[in-house]
């Protein structure tokens, strides 16, 4: 029996090794497609410099390998196009490790976490079923299930009426506990409020039917986070689906064209400085 087992192992081992090599090479090609134009020293530091040993480094490595295996063995692909992903990647490669906040979960969640090794990547998702599905595949991802106080059909009313609520406008605007301002995400986990976010990606919540939460609160709150930043540097905000009416309206109202870096496909990139100047208009204040 031992002899037969040994023979069986000898036959199967090349197949196993071949599969692992194929998965690894596919993952390497995926990473290489994003890293062709960055310096080798930056890329090497980002992915190989552990910055010390410990659980944090191990978790980062685990997330990277899970991402490689996931995309090498799955038919699911990220919803963003390659140029859109590259736009965000170019920022992450220069800032990582950084604090990266993502509104929404999807097929690209493994990728975003893997592109910020040793940093903090936090996902906010409204659908608990999707949260459980993703965590079953990658329990190391940091995800909070959240609720939004808005519905998409309210978008036009909210953008025209927010100035009448003083807690919605500078200098009184804030997020945590600000239930008076319906656009403010006032009941998020403390994990959201206790950090200053270097990069914010808004690709959720749902915003394609009238009763959906819409991205009004996410866009408004990202603008508030950026403007109340105390650390040096700008806050990079990426908004997906910026071709849609509500996303475009709220981006122009709160993220500001003057802070736009570029538009790539349906992804708009803003670099918002802390304490951005706010012009007074009547009783209220404008963000742009």
């Amino acid at each position: 029996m031992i002899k037969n087992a040994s023979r069986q192992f000898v036959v199967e081992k090349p197949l196993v090794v071949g599969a692992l090599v194929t998965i690894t090479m596919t993952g390497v090609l995926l990473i290489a497609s994003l890293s062709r134009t960055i310096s080798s020293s930056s890329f090497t530091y980002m992915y190989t410099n552990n910055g010390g040993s410990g659980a944090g480094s191990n978790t980062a490595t685990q997330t990277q390998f899970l991402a490689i295996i996931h995309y090498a063995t799955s038919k699911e692909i990220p919803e963003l196009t390659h140029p859109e992903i590259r736009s965000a990647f170019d920022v992450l490669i220069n800032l990582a490790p950084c604090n990266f906040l993502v509104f929404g979960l999807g097929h690209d969640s493994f990728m975003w976490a893997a592109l910020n090794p040793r940093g903090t990547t936090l996902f906010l998702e409204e659908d608990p079923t999707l949260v459980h599905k993703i965590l079953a595949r990658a329990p190391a991802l940091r995800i909070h299930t959240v609720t939004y106080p808005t519905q998409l059909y309210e978008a036009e009313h909210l953008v025209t009426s927010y100035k009448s609520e003083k807690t919605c406008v500078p200098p009184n605007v804030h997020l945590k506990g600000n239930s008076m301002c319906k656009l403010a995400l006032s009941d998020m986990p403390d994990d959201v409020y206790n950090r200053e976010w270097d990069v914010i990606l808004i690709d959720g919540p749902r915003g394609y039917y009238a009763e959906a939460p819409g991205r009004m609160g996410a866009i408004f709150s990202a603008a508030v986070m950026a403007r109340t930043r105390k650390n040096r540097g700008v806050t990079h905000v990426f908004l997906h689906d910026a071709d849609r009416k509500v996303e475009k309206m709220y981006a122009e109202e709160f993220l500001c064209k003057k802070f736009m870096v570029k538009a790539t496909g349906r992804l708009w990139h803003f670099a918002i400085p802390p304490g951005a100047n706010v012009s007074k208009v009547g009783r209220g204040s404008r963000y742009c």
Side-chain angles (χ1 to χ4, degrees), residues 15-29 68 72:
L15 297 177
V16 174
V17 172
L20 290 174
V21 169
T22 300
I23 290 172
T24 302
M25 290 303 296
T26 304
V28 169
L29 290 174
I68 291 172

